[in-house]
Amino acid sequence: MEVIYFIKALLKKKWWIIISTVAAVALAFVFTIGKARLYESNAQMSTGFTIKDQITLRDENVNIYESDVKFENVVQTINSPLVVGLLSYRLLIHDLTSGKPFVKLTENDLKTPEYKQFNKEEALRICQQKLDSLQMLTSYHPAERKILEYMKLCKFDYESIRKTLNVGRLPRTDYIDISYRSPNPEQSAFAVNTLYEEFIRYYRSLRSERTVENVSTFEELVNKKKQELDAKVEALRMFKSSAGVVNIEATSSSELSLISQLEKSLLDEKANANSISSSIQALNAQISGITQGKPAYNYNSEILALRKQLTDLNDEYIRTGSNNEALQDKIKAVRKQLQSYPSTTTTTVNGVPVSREELLTKKAGLEADLEASNQNRSILEQKIRALKGSIGSYANKEAMVSTLTQELQLAQDEYNKLKEKLNSAIDNRTAPMDNFKQTLRGQPAFKPESSKRAIIMGMAGIAVFMLSSMIILFKEFFDSSIKSPSIFEKNVDLKLISTINHADLKKYSILEVLQQKAEDYDAVRKRMNSFRELLRKLRFEIESSGKSIFLFTSTNSQQGKTTLVQAVAYSLSLSNKRVLVIDTNFCNNDLTLQLEAKPTLETFSVAPEEFSYEKVKPLITTYSVSNVEVIGCKGGDYTPTEILPENHLLNYLQELKKHYDFILLEGAPLNDYTDSRELEHYVEGVIAVFNSKASLKQNDRDSIQFLQSLDGKLLGAVLNNINEDYIDL
């Protein structure tokens, strides 16, 4: 429904859309009819940002994002005021020195102050100087300002060139396209080729300056880092020299190995001492046995020889540093042989008798061996403690050496990175990084570019068509008024019994509109005929309702009740119905004033037994129009219950029905006054009037709820003053 409504709304305004579209097309034709024909030339250059043909000193990978940034930088550089300014100098120098200039000034141009104040020789000198030094003209200098003004006259200034110059990357390629349009084909070709040349000259000059600055900067940084690196190397060397170690790790490792060997020897000595102690205990048992009468043999000579050998071996072992495994094995063998004598010479084992003196001698030797073993243990423990102390000092030295080594490594890495950047900068200076090549030179065009007048006219027409349609749709969408029957039925929950279109009642009275004959209507009066036909439909609804007394009311003021009551009364009179109109709108008695009725309603008061139609006649105002009579009111800030006397006229409306076919009352607006709420008790039907130009508010909805509560009394609503374009919507 909404879509159909908007489509119909567009169709109603179709002439506005058509006229605006045609006007836009016509204006586009007028604006493009004097457009100059332009010749376009194109030049292309490869950049090497994505594909490198030259041999580089270092392997480099292509970064797509970085390439896009480089392309944008190049495009912005070409479009920069400096590079375009260099092109302006070349164009101006060409026109001032060539016999075939690109621009020919008109007679009006020759009369301008810019041309008269222009000095050709001075301009050539300044432009050539600026061109050689890659500088821009400044408007602060009087002579240069005159050159700028002359350039503007010839369309060689920055703004004029930028309007016809287009520089951009060809999509998904390594190329940049330069296009220029001008009225002269040779000027277009000259401009694109010259612009490339000036860009290359400026770009390489700029890169050369940056490379020299980079090399100088990196050389200073490399020298500084070299000094720091040398200082770190010297600090490490001095610490190792003062610590007395060349290789702390190797020294520490050898001493740890020696400690391990000494601890092994210490364990052997402890085992030997335990073995000697056991042998002494055995000898004590043998001596005790001999004391009890057991015989024994004398092996003193062999024991003495073994003891002497053991003593010599121990001395040799200690002298050689206690790390000779061969001597250690011999000592173990001698000790084992010596210790075997007590057990093998006991009478209890082999039955060989041994003397007590021999056992005592052997015991004394074993005690001497035990003392020697204890001394060896003490010496080994001292050496182990000394070595472990030296290992602790080595750990501190090693930590210091490790710290100095790490600092040295960091300094070395920083130095290497800066050295690499310095080499890159030097390579850049030796072999430039840019790989710009002009792959297509601009050539003069054979024919001018199309004016695209048809496209411009079509686009203008389409744009205005869409714009005007959107304006109409937006206006309809945001218009909250109940301007059509469909919108009324959607927003107002009341039965719509009729719609009344807008009519020009200032030029024609209501009675004239209703009495006009069809042959008298011209094109202007057709709306009057629609008004009459719609009013007839409302009259039919009233006549077919079976009711005679009606109250016309509204939710708000200025809804057209007064006019509608008059029109309904006249329309009923044309169908030979006798109508009495009573103005009960005390707050606004326009009905009384417009019909020039007697304001007698507030003064009438007759007892029921005395009431008769004859007593009402003096209150009535009659007209030349038959069948329509009016009773007016004085009006004021009061309600019917406040102003009407006890036995007022409204109490006798049922009696008046005997003399009139219809009685029409006009009530005050429901939103602001209670008059209509009081009057509905006296009538048989209520008709609510809504103006199509009005918008519904909350207080309107409260009044609508009151109308809905009237049940059978509410005949329906009338949508008044509707635009004919919205009657069918």
Side-chain angles (χ1 to χ4, degrees):
M1 185 62 186
E2 293 291 340
V3 176
I4 296 175
Y5 170 80
F6 285 120
I7 292 175
K8 289 183 177 180
L10 287 175
L11 292 176
K12 295 296 181 181
K13 303 290 185 180
K14 60 181 178 293
W15 289 112
W16 288 102
I17 298 174
I18 293 173
I19 292 173
S20 59
T21 302
V22 172
V25 173
L27 289 174
F29 176 80
V30 172
F31 290 147
T32 57
I33 195 170
K35 187 177 179 181
R37 305 300 297 273
L38 301 178
Y39 296 83
E40 182 177 5
S41 293
N42 294 84
Q44 289 182 3
M45 56 179 284
S46 63
T47 62
F49 293 152
T50 57
I51 301 175
K52 293 184 179 293
D53 296 330
Q54 65 181 11
I55 299 175
T56 57
L57 300 179
R58 300 177 183 274
D59 294 334
E60 298 179 357
N61 296 323
V62 176
N63 188 321
I64 300 300
Y65 174 76
E66 183 180 352
S67 298
D68 291 339
V69 174
K70 289 181 179 180
F71 274 111
E72 187 64 24
N73 290 340
V74 170
V75 171
Q76 294 300 324
T77 303
I78 296 176
N79 287 325
S80 65
L82 179 55
V83 176
V84 175
L86 297 176
L87 172 62
S88 301
Y89 306 154
R90 294 283 297 273
L91 289 171
L92 182 60
I93 291 173
H94 175 275
D95 276 22
L96 295 179
T97 57
S98 174
K100 191 178 179 182
F102 295 138
V103 177
K104 295 181 179 180
L105 300 178
T106 63
E107 294 183 1
N108 293 331
D109 295 334
L110 298 177
K111 297 177 182 179
T112 58
E114 291 82 0
Y115 178 81
K116 293 180 179 180
Q117 297 176 4
F118 180 70
N119 189 324
K120 179 179 178 180
E121 289 74 15
E122 185 179 14
L124 285 172
R125 178 182 60 80
I126 294 175
C127 288
Q128 191 62 49
Q129 179 184 356
K130 296 292 183 180
L131 186 65
D132 296 338
S133 60
L134 299 177
Q135 294 180 353
M136 295 178 60
L137 293 170
T138 174
S139 59
Y140 293 102
H141 194 281
E144 295 180 8
R145 183 171 64 252
K146 292 179 181 179
I147 298 175
L148 290 173
E149 292 174 351
Y150 185 78
M151 283 183 174
K152 190 173 183 180
L153 184 66
C154 298
K155 307 297 182 184
F156 291 159
D157 59 304
Y158 175 76
E159 295 297 332
S160 299
I161 292 177
R162 284 293 294 119
K163 290 179 181 178
T164 56
L165 176 66
N166 185 27
V167 181
R169 178 188 178 185
L170 294 176
R172 305 178 67 85
T173 68
D174 190 59
Y175 299 97
I176 290 179
D177 181 74
I178 304 173
S179 63
Y180 185 83
R181 292 176 293 116
S182 70
N184 190 323
E186 295 182 357
Q187 178 185 349
S188 300
F190 177 85
V192 294
N193 296 326
T194 303
L195 184 63
Y196 169 77
E197 295 171 1
E198 295 303 326
F199 161 71
I200 292 297
R201 190 165 68 93
Y202 168 72
Y203 187 81
R204 289 181 176 172
S205 173
L206 185 62
R207 286 192 61 87
S208 177
E209 293 178 3
R210 291 178 178 174
T211 302
V212 171
E213 293 176 358
N214 290 339
V215 170
S216 176
T217 301
F218 284 130
E219 283 180 347
E220 294 179 2
L221 293 174
V222 167
N223 293 333
K224 183 178 179 181
K225 288 297 178 182
K226 185 65 170 63
Q227 294 174 2
E228 293 180 1
L229 179 61
D230 293 341
K232 298 291 183 183
V233 173
E234 182 64 18
L236 181 60
R237 187 189 66 78
M238 291 295 294
F239 177 76
K240 287 185 176 181
S241 177
S242 63
V245 292
V246 177
N247 191 341
I248 291 179
E249 291 184 359
T251 303
S252 176
S253 178
S254 64
E255 291 191 355
L256 287 173
S257 177
L258 181 57
I259 289 173
S260 178
Q261 295 177 4
L262 291 176
E263 287 179 344
K264 182 179 180 183
S265 299
L266 179 60
L267 292 174
D268 292 340
E269 285 296 336
K270 289 181 179 180
N272 184 37
N274 293 333
S275 179
I276 293 173
S277 297
S278 299
S279 298
I280 291 174
Q281 291 177 1
L283 286 175
N284 287 333
Q286 292 177 5
I287 292 170
S288 177
I290 293 174
T291 304
Q292 295 175 2
K294 295 180 181 178
Y297 289 95
N298 189 1
Y299 290 96
N300 290 336
S301 58
E302 290 86 346
I303 292 172
L304 291 174
L306 290 172
R307 286 176 179 170
K308 185 177 182 303
Q309 183 180 359
L310 181 61
T311 302
D312 293 340
L313 289 173
N314 281 330
D315 292 341
E316 180 65 22
Y317 180 73
I318 293 172
R319 187 180 63 78
T320 57
S322 301
N323 57 2
N324 192 326
E325 294 182 358
L327 288 175
Q328 189 176 9
D329 293 339
K330 288 182 180 182
I331 290 171
K332 290 180 181 179
V334 172
R335 283 176 178 171
K336 185 175 182 181
Q337 184 180 359
L338 183 60
Q339 292 169 5
S340 66
Y341 275 97
S343 61
T344 57
T345 57
T346 61
T347 57
T348 58
V349 177
N350 298 323
V352 179
V354 180
S355 65
R356 184 175 182 276
E357 289 78 7
E358 290 176 343
L359 293 175
L360 291 174
T361 303
K362 188 173 183 178
K363 177 183 177 182
L366 290 174
E367 289 175 348
D369 291 340
L370 181 60
E371 182 65 25
S373 178
N374 291 333
Q375 290 179 0
N376 289 338
R377 287 170 55 192
S378 178
I379 292 171
L380 290 173
E381 288 174 351
Q382 289 178 0
K383 285 189 174 183
I384 290 172
R385 284 194 297 269
L387 288 173
K388 287 184 176 180
S390 64
I391 288 296
S393 64
Y394 285 145
N396 294 331
K397 294 177 182 178
E398 185 178 4
M400 188 65 184
V401 170
S402 177
T403 301
L404 293 175
T405 303
Q406 289 179 358
E407 293 179 357
L408 175 62
Q409 185 62 39
L410 290 174
Q412 182 70 44
D413 293 341
E414 292 178 357
Y415 173 75
N416 290 338
K417 290 179 181 179
L418 287 174
K419 187 69 175 176
E420 184 178 355
K421 290 183 178 180
L422 175 61
N423 293 335
S424 298
I426 294 174
D427 294 346
N428 230 3
R429 182 175 61 184
T430 305
M433 295 300 294
D434 64 85
N435 191 27
F436 297 125
K437 294 180 181 178
Q438 187 173 6
T439 57
L440 176 66
R441 288 188 59 83
Q443 300 295 329
F446 291 105
K447 59 181 181 179
E449 292 290 310
S450 172
S451 62
K452 300 180 181 179
R453 179 181 299 167
I455 297 176
I456 295 174
M457 292 169 60
M459 292 299 294
I462 293 172
V464 173
F465 176 84
M466 297 299 296
L467 181 61
S468 58
S469 300
M470 291 300 295
I471 291 175
I472 293 172
L473 291 176
F474 273 112
K475 184 179 178 182
E476 294 293 332
F477 182 78
F478 289 106
D479 188 359
S480 60
S481 62
I482 48 176
K483 55 183 173 292
S484 69
S486 60
I487 295 178
F488 179 88
E489 292 177 352
K490 180 179 179 181
N491 293 277
V492 182
D493 191 14
L494 294 176
K495 178 185 177 182
L496 184 64
I497 59 174
S498 178
T499 56
I500 304 298
N501 69 310
H502 173 77
D504 187 6
L505 299 179
K506 294 181 179 179
K507 187 175 182 181
Y508 303 97
S509 66
I510 298 175
L511 192 59
E512 289 177 338
V513 171
L514 297 178
Q515 291 179 342
Q516 285 285 346
K517 296 179 181 180
E519 57 269 16
D520 295 334
Y521 282 109
D522 53 19
V524 179
R525 299 178 183 175
K526 285 184 179 180
R527 282 185 300 178
M528 303 298 181
N529 189 30
S530 299
F531 177 81
R532 183 177 63 176
E533 293 302 324
L534 292 173
L535 195 61
R536 286 172 177 172
K537 293 181 181 180
L538 176 59
R539 183 183 70 186
F540 173 78
E541 291 290 338
I542 293 174
E543 290 177 343
S544 61
S545 65
K547 300 176 181 179
S548 302
I549 306 173
F550 292 94
L551 171 66
F552 285 78
T553 186
S554 63
T555 60
N556 211 341
S557 59
Q558 303 299 320
Q559 302 297 301
K561 296 188 300 296
T562 302
T563 302
L564 187 61
V565 169
Q566 296 180 58
V568 171
Y570 289 143
S571 181
L572 288 170
S573 69
L574 293 177
S575 62
N576 298 319
K577 298 294 189 297
R578 193 175 182 195
V579 182
L580 174 63
V581 178
I582 303 175
D583 186 3
T584 54
N585 189 355
F586 299 109
C587 64
N588 186 11
N589 60 342
D590 285 349
L591 191 60
T592 301
L593 298 176
Q594 291 180 14
L595 296 178
E596 299 179 354
K598 301 174 183 178
T600 56
L601 179 62
E602 294 93 337
T603 60
F604 180 83
S605 178
V606 176
E609 62 276 6
E610 299 178 1
F611 178 80
S612 66
Y613 178 68
E614 298 301 326
K615 292 186 178 182
V616 177
K617 278 188 175 182
L619 307 178
I620 297 174
T621 302
T622 59
Y623 302 94
S624 58
V625 180
S626 60
N627 297 329
V628 176
E629 298 178 355
V630 181
I631 297 176
C633 66
K634 296 179 180 179
D637 188 12
Y638 41 74
T639 67
T641 58
E642 294 175 350
I643 191 62
L644 294 179
E646 181 179 359
N647 296 312
H648 53 80
L649 180 64
L650 301 182
N651 292 327
Y652 306 109
L653 293 181
Q654 293 298 326
E655 295 294 330
L656 293 176
K657 282 176 54 176
K658 300 175 182 178
H659 305 278
Y660 297 97
D661 296 307
F662 293 97
I663 301 175
L664 308 180
L665 283 71
E666 179 187 356
L670 289 167
N671 292 349
D672 304 321
Y673 306 97
T674 61
D675 298 35
S676 295
R677 300 175 191 269
E678 298 174 2
L679 293 171
E680 64 92 9
H681 300 290
Y682 302 102
V683 299
E684 298 174 350
V686 177
I687 297 175
V689 181
F690 291 86
N691 194 321
S692 64
K693 304 298 188 295
S695 301
L696 293 180
K697 300 179 178 59
Q698 184 57 42
N699 52 357
D700 292 319
R701 300 190 183 279
D702 295 338
S703 299
I704 291 173
Q705 290 182 358
F706 166 75
L707 293 173
Q708 293 171 344
S709 66
L710 297 178
D711 296 330
K713 275 194 176 182
L714 180 65
L715 182 63
V718 176
L719 186 58
N720 190 30
N721 198 29
I722 187 173
N723 192 311
E724 284 190 355
D725 294 336
Y726 297 103
I727 291 178
D728 299 330
L729 297 182

